Amino acid sequence: MSEAAAPKTAMQKMLDVVERVGNRVPHPVLIFVILIGIVIALSAILGAMGVSVSFQQVNYETDKIEPMTVTARSLLTVEGIRFMFTGVVQNFMNFNAVGVIIIAMVGVGVAEEAGLVKALIRKLVVVAPPKALTYILVFVGIVSSIAADAGYLVLIPLAAAAFLSVGRHPLAGLAAAFAAVASAFLVNVLIVPTDGILTEITNDAIALVNPNIKIDLAANLWFSIASVALLTVLIALITERVIEPRLGTYVGDYKLAGDTGLSDDEGRGLRWALWGMIGVFAFLALLTLPPGAPLRNPDTGAIIGNSPFMNSLIVSIALVFLVCGVAYGLGARTMKSTNDVIGAMQKAIASLSGLILLLLVISQFIAFFNYTNMATLAAVSLAEVLTRANLSAIWLLVGFVVVVFLLDLIITAAIAKWAIFAPIFVPLLMQLGMSPEAVLAAYRVGDSPMNAITPLNAYFAMIVTFAIKYQKDAGVGTVIALMLPYVIVLSVVWTAFLVGWYLLGLPWGLGA
């Protein structure tokens, strides 16, 4: 990292300390091996003590409220040891992030090797006003949740390269995009598939108090749209006012090939890529739009929500990049045969070897941690402490947000946490006069910011890998130091925004 010309502020010095300390920790693979050892030991202690919790949980598959008693399970029992030894392969196969990354990189790798990604970046830089580049990338990152994990796999590396192409520090672009994709995950200007599941869980929890009340998919739409606008501005300002001054001028040795202009071959390649994209979109439309099309829900005919189209978005995205990459390569003359295409795929997958090793270890840690039930024990115990605090509705709402903040460090799955929290907090806050729409909005605020700093985020290790590409000595500490300002500011300002929205009595969404 280079030194900024101006004297560093107290926050910048603090973040430098965080980075230095964080980068002195062992390799991430070793970190998770150590964590696995801690989980095994702690599970044995809690299991011997017979620690348990009882609560009501929404089963989002059956849409029923089910009483649950969860007891700590030791990994040092006959059953636990058997699980650790026999489940290694299945734990890895069940870790969806691995398949998503490999499938996406088959397409993205071809596009990158052909030169399409670099050409698109230069085109974006040419057409986007310089002052608006950060805001555009952040906004696209926030709304990318409509395409599941595509923001992590495509936008984040693209944003880093876009910043580098205009002489800005690539890690600042990486940080801005990561904050947008991860720390604003549960809000959007559109209705996304996750909204359907969260809504159903909420309605089942509402039924505990009043079975005649229900909310719909757009119950948080106005709050979500306003949050997107707020977070776009906040993330962009943090990037330009805090992150970039701390990073200073980029002096690394990573260079983008070519100048900022486009050659005739590149221009032709982009035109061919456009026609390729139109062709893929037409093909996907034929598979999706007609009645009875294979990518519609076979029972309801729906396209959005639980449908083959939404469940295969990452495949569609990979196909778009693959076709566009090949079309660009042929048009720009950077690819001349099928061997070039296959070679690009092999190169992309080979570049994932270190990441796949790390994900192998992470998948075991998460499986072991879930087996012990310690995440559920922690979630329910914290919820019980909060409900016993005898707080007013607004302070209980804020306390709920804080609890979700804390739990998001160890339970990153938004749906899993809401299945635990909804039956506890929705009835409680409704009895205090708060609408279920407000409780769901509070959950959206609490669930998102911490995603950018928890190593249990399935893509955190991948972000570290991206950072190393531009800064050889980067590590876990580098990424945490980059993301901490976003997490702190978003947590405080977004919570205050939620409170203000509630106190002003603004509608949360359509019909709310």
Side-chain angles (χ1 to χ4, degrees):
M1 181 185 305
S2 63
E3 295 292 333
K8 292 191 175 183
T9 65
M11 173 177 283
Q12 291 169 347
K13 291 178 181 178
M14 182 271 289
L15 294 174
D16 287 346
V17 172
V18 171
E19 179 175 356
R20 286 195 299 271
V21 172
N23 286 343
R24 287 175 181 169
V25 300
H27 189 282
V29 170
L30 184 56
I31 290 174
F32 278 96
V33 170
I34 293 171
L35 288 175
I36 288 173
I38 293 173
V39 167
I40 292 173
L42 191 56
S43 72
I45 295 171
L46 296 177
M49 295 172 61
V51 176
S52 66
V53 292
S54 297
F55 59 99
Q56 288 185 307
Q57 175 173 307
V58 179
N59 185 327
Y60 58 87
E61 294 181 351
T62 62
D63 292 333
K64 294 181 180 180
I65 304 292
E66 300 176 353
M68 296 285 293
T69 298
V70 173
T71 304
R73 300 174 70 187
S74 172
L75 285 163
L76 294 182
T77 60
V78 172
E79 183 181 353
I81 293 172
R82 185 180 296 126
F83 169 80
M84 287 191 287
F85 274 81
T86 62
V88 171
V89 174
Q90 196 60 48
N91 295 339
F92 186 54
M93 297 299 293
N94 290 341
F95 199 48
N96 291 334
V98 179
V100 168
I101 290 171
I102 292 176
I103 295 299
M105 287 306 294
V106 167
V108 175
V110 171
E112 184 172 5
E113 187 68 14
L116 173 60
V117 173
K118 293 176 182 177
L120 283 175
I121 291 168
R122 295 206 299 276
K123 188 70 173 179
L124 173 65
V125 170
V126 170
V127 301
K131 293 184 179 180
L133 180 61
T134 307
Y135 293 85
I136 292 172
L137 290 172
V138 169
F139 176 77
V140 173
I142 293 175
V143 300
S144 70
S145 61
I146 186 68
D149 300 311
Y152 286 101
L153 299 164
V154 178
L155 182 71
I156 293 175
L158 187 148
F163 266 48
L164 179 59
S165 70
V166 294
R168 299 170 67 178
H169 204 295
L171 292 190
L174 180 145
F178 187 26
V181 173
S183 291
F185 181 73
L186 279 189
V187 291
N188 209 306
V189 296
L190 305 169
I191 302 297
V192 300
T194 304
D195 291 326
I197 301 175
L198 295 179
T199 299
E200 289 304 313
I201 294 174
T202 305
N203 284 330
D204 289 334
I206 293 170
L208 293 171
V209 179
N210 188 339
N212 298 318
I213 297 177
K214 284 190 174 183
I215 64 173
D216 59 31
L217 281 173
N220 277 167
L221 183 60
W222 303 138
F223 179 75
S224 290
I225 292 174
S227 293
V228 169
L230 171 71
L231 297 178
T232 298
V233 174
L234 274 181
I235 293 172
L237 287 177
I238 294 167
T239 302
E240 296 177 349
R241 303 289 178 84
V242 178
I243 304 302
E244 288 193 274
R246 172 174 174 264
L247 291 171
T249 304
Y250 181 63
V251 294
D253 56 5
Y254 187 87
K255 305 294 182 184
L256 290 175
D259 54 27
T260 56
L262 291 175
S263 67
D264 292 340
D265 283 348
E266 288 173 325
R268 181 174 57 253
L270 286 178
R271 290 192 296 273
W272 286 29
L274 175 62
W275 285 112
M277 182 177 67
I278 293 173
V280 174
F281 284 171
F283 173 68
L284 294 175
L286 287 175
L287 296 179
T288 306
L289 298 180
L295 294 186
R296 285 178 175 267
N297 185 300
D299 298 321
T300 65
I303 297 175
I304 304 300
N306 183 19
S307 68
F309 172 74
M310 296 304 298
N311 294 335
S312 63
L313 269 178
I314 199 65
V315 177
S316 299
I317 291 169
L319 182 62
V320 169
F321 274 92
L322 175 61
V323 172
C324 291
V326 172
Y328 175 87
L330 294 175
R333 300 173 184 172
T334 57
M335 287 185 166
K336 299 179 180 179
S337 68
T338 55
N339 288 339
D340 293 333
V341 177
I342 300 299
M345 294 179 182
Q346 292 174 333
K347 183 177 179 180
I349 294 177
S351 68
L352 298 175
S353 57
L355 180 60
I356 291 174
L357 171 62
L358 180 56
L359 293 180
L360 170 63
V361 181
I362 291 176
S363 67
Q364 305 310 313
F365 169 77
I366 292 176
F368 291 3
F369 192 64
N370 289 338
Y371 177 90
T372 65
N373 291 328
M374 287 194 292
T376 303
L377 292 171
V380 176
S381 298
L382 280 173
E384 289 177 351
V385 170
L386 194 57
T387 56
R388 292 171 185 166
N390 196 27
L391 301 171
S392 64
I394 188 64
W395 287 110
L396 190 56
L397 188 71
V398 173
F400 169 58
V401 172
V402 173
V403 168
V404 179
F405 281 155
L406 297 175
L407 265 296
D408 195 45
L409 291 170
I410 59 174
I411 312 176
T412 57
I415 293 171
K417 286 198 302 293
W418 190 229
I420 296 171
F421 282 143
I424 299 171
F425 284 101
V426 171
L428 174 64
L429 288 166
M430 284 182 66
Q431 291 169 0
L432 293 173
M434 189 167 290
S435 68
E437 293 90 343
V439 187
L440 181 55
Y443 180 71
R444 294 179 189 275
V445 174
D447 177 72
S448 297
M450 295 294 178
N451 290 335
I453 61 171
T454 172
L456 294 189
N457 181 335
Y459 296 100
F460 186 88
M462 185 178 69
I463 304 305
V464 176
T465 303
F466 288 154
I468 293 172
K469 178 179 180 179
Y470 297 100
Q471 181 176 308
K472 301 301 182 184
D473 62 346
V476 172
T478 303
V479 175
I480 291 179
L482 281 173
M483 304 314 300
L484 202 54
Y486 296 104
V487 172
I488 294 172
V489 175
L490 265 58
S491 298
V492 174
V493 176
W494 201 5
T495 302
F497 182 72
L498 170 76
V499 172
W501 193 284
Y502 172 77
L503 294 176
L504 291 173
L506 298 175
W508 300 97
L510 292 174

